[in-house]
């Protein structure tokens, strides 16, 4: 497969993943708002993304599909559907390798660091 074809397929899969995230998040949030104000839409998207990523990664490790299909589905579709699934996949690999310090550091950087970066960005945005 030529590079431009691969990039086009990744971009197309990313567009589909983005629309799928938007649609599913909106639908679940609309249905759940009747019961409790909680971001159930993004919770469902992230958990479903992790599940699908795990299924596909497992299938692809057994040579179920070529590397182009892997890249298109995992990087393109699921990368746009949720980056959370990739983050969790990397954490799980570290856990399998008993890399406890790396797990703790990765978890802290993504969660605590992400929250701190968001707060800093919000503060800076308000100052501008």
């Amino acid at each position: 497969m030529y590079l431009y074809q691969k990039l086009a397929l990744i971009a197309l899969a990313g567009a589909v993943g983005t629309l799928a995230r938007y649609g599913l998040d909106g639908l679940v949030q609309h249905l759940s708002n009747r019961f409790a104000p909680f971001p159930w839409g993004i919770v469902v998207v992230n958990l479903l993304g992790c599940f699908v990523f795990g299924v596909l990664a497992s299938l692809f490790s057994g040579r179920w599909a070529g590397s182009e299909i892997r890249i298109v589905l995992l990087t393109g579709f699921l990368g746009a559907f949720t980056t959370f699934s990739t983050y969790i996949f990397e954490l799980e690999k570290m856990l399998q390798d008993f890399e406890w310090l790396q797990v703790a550091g990765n978890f802290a950087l993504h969660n605590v660091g992400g929250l701190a970066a968001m707060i800093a960005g919000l503060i800076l945005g308000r100052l501008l």
Side-chain angles (χ1 to χ4, degrees):
M1 180 179 294
Y2 295 107
L3 177 62
Y4 295 119
Q5 290 173 322
K6 187 184 295 185
L7 293 176
L9 287 174
I10 292 169
L12 180 61
V16 172
T18 298
L19 294 173
R21 176 181 61 211
Y22 176 77
L24 182 59
D25 178 22
L27 175 67
V28 171
Q29 200 57 49
H30 173 74
L31 295 173
S32 67
N33 277 342
R34 299 176 187 171
F35 306 107
F38 187 80
W40 286 112
I42 201 63
V43 169
V44 168
V45 165
N46 284 334
L47 295 179
L48 179 62
C50 289
F51 175 75
V52 172
F53 196 111
V55 169
L56 293 178
S58 179
L59 289 174
F60 294 154
S61 70
R63 302 282 186 219
W64 180 76
S67 64
E68 287 86 10
I69 293 174
R70 244 180 288 170
I71 290 169
V72 168
L73 291 177
L74 295 180
T75 302
F77 180 80
L78 286 173
F81 188 70
T82 170
T83 58
F84 184 75
S85 57
T86 305
Y87 158 61
I88 294 300
F89 181 73
E90 293 296 327
L91 272 180
E92 192 276 332
K93 285 190 335 191
M94 291 176 197
L95 284 170
Q96 278 187 359
D97 294 337
F98 303 102
E99 297 169 340
W100 307 115
L101 187 57
Q102 289 177 328
V103 168
N106 194 16
F107 184 85
L109 283 171
H110 275 91
N111 293 284
V112 177
L115 182 59
M118 176 63 74
I119 291 169
L122 289 169
I123 292 169
L124 178 60
R126 289 182 190 127
L127 294 175
L128 296 177

